[in-house]
Amino acid sequence: SSTGSAQTITTTQTENPAGISICFGKPMDIYEIDAVNALLDAHQIVIAAGGGGIPVLEQRTRLKGASAIIEKDYAAARLAELTEADTLLFLTVYDKLTVNAGKPDERSFENVTVADLKPYATTGDFGPITTLPKVNAAIEFVEAGTGRKAVIANLEHAKDALLGRCGTTITR
């Protein structure tokens, strides 16, 4: 089963250390969340918020399409929050989060707490378009509930990453 996801948004602008401004929509809500939860309760596989979803704005009693782009990693985190998931999995081409790649002070993270990861999220250590949204969305997801974890791992090792055998696991 699958469903689309119309979302209300807030717009956030960030500036990375290179001085590049990036605007993206951060979902506040997912309008079809009741349908998503009903399908999950019926033990269905649900595909939702793909590509970030369709941004909408409430105008009186109607929803209107918005000229915006929803950041897919934040949409995934919001969907995970609204479905009360315990684990949020981000799949990428990298085996784990790494800062200062190829430098003498290179550091890869296997298990990391939100408190230890946050400083790296504010100093430009992660790519502002590729990795930083995953890191920030993971941090927000983990902080929003108890017993939650986020995993960032290589697509080819998804199952092992969920089992804690590879990738980066982020916890409180």
Side-chain angles (χ1 to χ4, degrees):
S1 299
S2 68
T3 181
S5 295
Q7 304 172 5
T8 55
I9 60 170
T10 58
T11 301
T12 304
Q13 183 169 352
T14 82
E15 189 169 309
N16 67 24
I20 300 169
S21 291
I22 301 165
C23 291
F24 56 90
K26 192 172 180 184
M28 296 170 39
D29 195 12
I30 297 177
Y31 280 95
E32 292 88 2
I33 197 63
D34 292 337
V36 170
N37 281 323
L39 290 166
L40 290 172
D41 289 344
H43 306 286
Q44 299 297 305
I45 295 173
V46 180
I47 300 170
I54 302 166
V56 296
L57 299 171
E58 282 185 2
Q59 293 188 344
R60 296 184 189 151
T61 60
R62 298 176 50 118
L63 297 177
K64 289 197 84 168
S67 295
I69 296 172
I70 299 291
E71 209 300 312
K72 67 186 179 310
D73 299 319
Y74 287 107
R78 188 67 181 133
L79 182 65
E81 284 180 42
L82 294 173
T83 58
E84 299 180 5
D86 296 325
T87 303
L88 174 59
L89 175 64
F90 288 111
L91 298 173
T92 184
V93 297
Y94 305 106
D95 291 326
K96 57 183 77 166
L97 289 177
T98 303
V99 294
N100 300 321
K103 297 180 182 175
D105 59 344
E106 177 177 310
R107 179 173 179 198
S108 293
F109 299 96
E110 291 180 19
N111 295 296
V112 63
T113 65
V114 166
D116 289 337
L117 188 58
K118 268 187 176 181
Y120 294 99
T122 59
T123 57
D125 287 297
F126 299 115
I129 296 171
T130 56
T131 307
L132 185 59
K134 288 172 181 52
V135 170
N136 285 334
I139 288 170
E140 288 181 17
F141 172 75
V142 170
E143 287 183 325
T146 56
R148 289 182 174 178
K149 69 178 178 180
V151 179
I152 300 174
N154 186 296
L155 171 65
E156 295 181 19
H157 305 291
K159 186 175 179 181
D160 284 335
L162 282 174
L163 296 171
R165 296 180 189 151
C166 60
T168 299
T169 300
I170 304 159
T171 58
R172 271 190 194 247

